[in-house]
Amino acid sequence: QVQLVESGGGLVQPGGSLRLSCTASGSIFSSSAMGWYRQAPGKERELVAGISRGGSTNYADSVKGRFTISRDNANRDNAKSTVYLQMNSLKPEDTAVYYCNTAPGYYRPFWGKGTLVTISS
């Protein structure tokens, strides 16, 4: 079954940290570069970090040095892989719903529900 499930969001004070997880089931995800995206209220969805199957990463300028993306590739049995986003030194402007999905240029069958990150004192 093809699934995307994001988790790990919450309310954090400025300067705090969160670790987001995404369980991606299905070969469409295990064979693709993956990314974390976010959508803040009133704004368009944007890519914040991407990672290839081999582990090469790229980041939006706004999160460089603060966010780290990583992935555990799927095992042979269930084509289920996990993508993480470690977020440090969080700022109020990081407040958004965070989604994971295939990276730009790859087929994207649907969007998951996302996980809400709120940075506030």
Side-chain angles (χ1 to χ4, degrees), residues 47-68:
L47 176 71
V48 295
I51 186 167
S52 70
R53 290 196 74 251
S56 297
T57 59
N58 61 279
Y59 298 93
D61 288 344
S62 59
V63 306
K64 272 181 188 174
R66 300 189 298 122
F67 289 12
T68 303

Side-chain angles (χ1 to χ4, degrees), residues 52-98:
S52 70
R53 290 196 74 251
S56 297
T57 59
N58 61 279
Y59 298 93
D61 288 344
S62 59
V63 306
K64 272 181 188 174
R66 300 189 298 122
F67 289 12
T68 303
I69 188 171
S70 60
R71 69 186 291 173
D72 292 332
N73 286 325
N75 60 47
R76 294 180 180 179
D77 296 327
N78 61 14
K80 183 180 292 186
S81 53
T82 306
V83 186
Y84 303 97
L85 187 67
Q86 178 66 44
M87 306 188 296
N88 299 327
S89 303
L90 284 161
K91 304 176 181 180
E93 52 263 44
D94 295 318
T95 294
V97 179
Y98 284 71

